[in-house]
Amino acid sequence: MIKYSSEVARAKSENRPIVALESTIISHGLPRPRNYEVAVEVEQIVRENGATPATIALIDGVIHVGLETDQLGRIANDDNVVKASTRDLAVIEMSKQSAATTVAATAHIAHLAGISVFATGGLGGVHRGHTYDESADLTALSTLPIVIVCAGVKSILDVPGTLERLETFAIPVLGFKTNKFPGFYLTDSGYEIEHRVDTVEQIAEIWRNRFELQTNNCSIVVTNPVQNQMDLALHEKILGEGLAAAEKNHITGKAVTPFLLEHFHTASNGESLRVNIDIIKSNSRLAAQIACAL
Ligand code: PSU
Ligand code: MN
């Protein structure tokens, strides 16, 4: 059911650390042509930090764990690539479409493939103002034992609402070298995190403790704040305009997040793009280090 890239197949057979990478950020989160370049650069960062990158996507209905260069190019550049969450996977296998996977779907496939560390930019979560718009990322992470490295949840979301949902799902949230919950484009969302860790060895110890305590049925969220954040006033202005534009244009369902991210990249003249790229690179580096420590 799963096709592995030669690189990932080798790492699996030699039992070496692997980092799963999602593909919706490539197809629907970053503009062309930077998206392809970033996807390649992120994989290289994982390798330089001692792990094997496994970018996950569906090509012509087949689940791929690890993409060859031409397949990465297809996910980045083909207009027919759809955004797939967990519920879409079986349908896309049947219809033989190509799809990029969200955090939820990527985490699911990573777990099937025996990979336990995963890097993304910002998690999905509870959307502002829309009571029932809550990313399936949250429910997926509530049932999958993996470590996910992110810069918090996307700042377009209802951050306190999302933190409450993470608590409900008993998903531990760790601040890497911080007690402030990161705000994706911003270093600090304005909300505190109870648990701070300063080394990857501490994360590995928590991972092992969970197995013994049998509190390992869900994910561990490791949050890694961006160093050089977006200008705060610019962020507020663009966010307000973006939310209003989404409402005015009746953007709903899975189109909401790509719409708002695209609005940010255009309206900020590439400033949010710079930050988003910093985030995904830094998270991939940390994920590789965690994979080695596990
Ligand atoms: N992080 C980013 N850019 C993205 C995403 C995460 O920096 O585009 C994607 C992830 O794939 C995540 C998805 O799962 O956005 C959330 O979409 P939704 O809100 O529709 O669940
Ligand atoms: Mn949604």
Side-chain angles (χ1 to χ4, degrees):
M1 198 169 72
I2 295 178
K3 189 151 180 7
Y4 293 97
S5 66
S6 47
E7 187 185 13
V8 173
R10 205 173 325 120
K12 270 180 75 73
S13 70
E14 294 169 8
N15 214 0
R16 284 192 284 112
I18 304 175
V19 172
L21 299 164
E22 57 130 333
S23 46
T24 295
I25 185 169
I26 306 171
S27 64
H28 290 72
L30 300 171
R32 294 175 193 158
R34 254 330 249 143
N35 61 345
Y36 174 73
E37 297 161 5
V38 171
V40 172
E41 289 162 18
V42 161
E43 290 199 344
Q44 196 49 33
I45 287 170
V46 171
R47 290 185 197 103
E48 283 162 8
N49 285 274
T52 298
T55 305
I56 292 177
L58 285 92
I59 307 279
D60 301 326
V62 178
I63 294 175
H64 285 256
V65 173
L67 298 180
E68 310 295 348
T69 314
D70 58 316
Q71 295 169 333
L72 206 53
R74 247 183 99 179
I75 294 299
N77 295 316
D78 186 340
D79 286 334
N80 295 320
V81 169
V82 297
K83 170 180 168 185
S85 192
T86 321
R87 68 172 185 170
D88 306 312
L89 294 173
V91 184
I92 288 166
E93 279 190 334
M94 181 278 294
S95 62
K96 302 198 167 35
Q97 281 173 286
S98 294
T101 47
T102 63
V103 165
T106 308
H108 185 86
I109 295 168
H111 180 59
L112 280 182
I115 301 171
S116 36
V117 183
F118 172 13
T120 182
L123 284 187
V126 181
H127 280 262
R128 300 183 190 225
H130 297 278
T131 322
Y132 290 104
D133 189 358
E134 180 175 328
S135 178
D137 290 358
L138 293 182
T139 44
L141 296 186
S142 73
T143 64
L144 295 165
I146 58 160
V147 177
I148 173 142
V149 184
C150 60
V153 300
K154 284 186 271 282
S155 52
I156 57 173
L157 300 169
D158 175 347
V159 175
T162 305
L163 283 170
E164 292 295 345
R165 295 299 279 154
L166 287 166
E167 183 180 359
T168 305
F169 289 133
I171 299 173
V173 180
L174 308 178
F176 192 73
K177 298 185 177 166
T178 184
N179 273 103
K180 311 283 181 196
F181 189 63
F184 189 55
Y185 295 137
L186 306 175
T187 306
D188 175 2
S189 66
Y191 294 85
E192 299 281 316
I193 315 185
E194 192 177 346
H195 303 300
R196 170 187 173 131
V197 289
D198 290 279
T199 65
V200 292
E201 287 73 26
Q202 290 174 321
I203 298 169
E205 187 176 339
I206 294 167
W207 176 257
R208 289 191 301 271
N209 292 346
R210 288 188 353 142
F211 274 88
E212 280 169 25
L213 292 166
Q214 298 184 21
T215 57
N216 61 324
N217 59 335
C218 65
S219 300
I220 295 178
V221 173
V222 174
T223 63
N224 184 30
V226 68
Q227 297 304 317
N228 190 1
Q229 71 169 7
M230 219 181 138
D231 178 78
L232 204 61
L234 181 66
H235 179 272
E236 287 311 296
K237 177 173 173 286
I238 294 176
L239 179 56
E241 290 166 358
L243 293 170
E247 175 128 15
K248 181 164 168 271
N249 292 293
H250 309 292
I251 308 293
T252 56
K254 66 192 202 180
V256 173
T257 297
F259 177 89
L260 290 171
L261 293 179
E262 161 63 24
H263 173 81
F264 256 93
H265 298 328
T266 311
S268 73
N269 244 317
E271 176 61 1
S272 65
L273 177 60
R274 174 195 64 78
V275 177
N276 208 339
I277 294 171
D278 277 5
I279 289 168
I280 180 68
K281 287 187 175 177
S282 155
N283 293 349
S284 304
R285 188 174 305 115
L286 178 57
Q289 292 161 1
I290 295 170
C292 293
L294 294 194

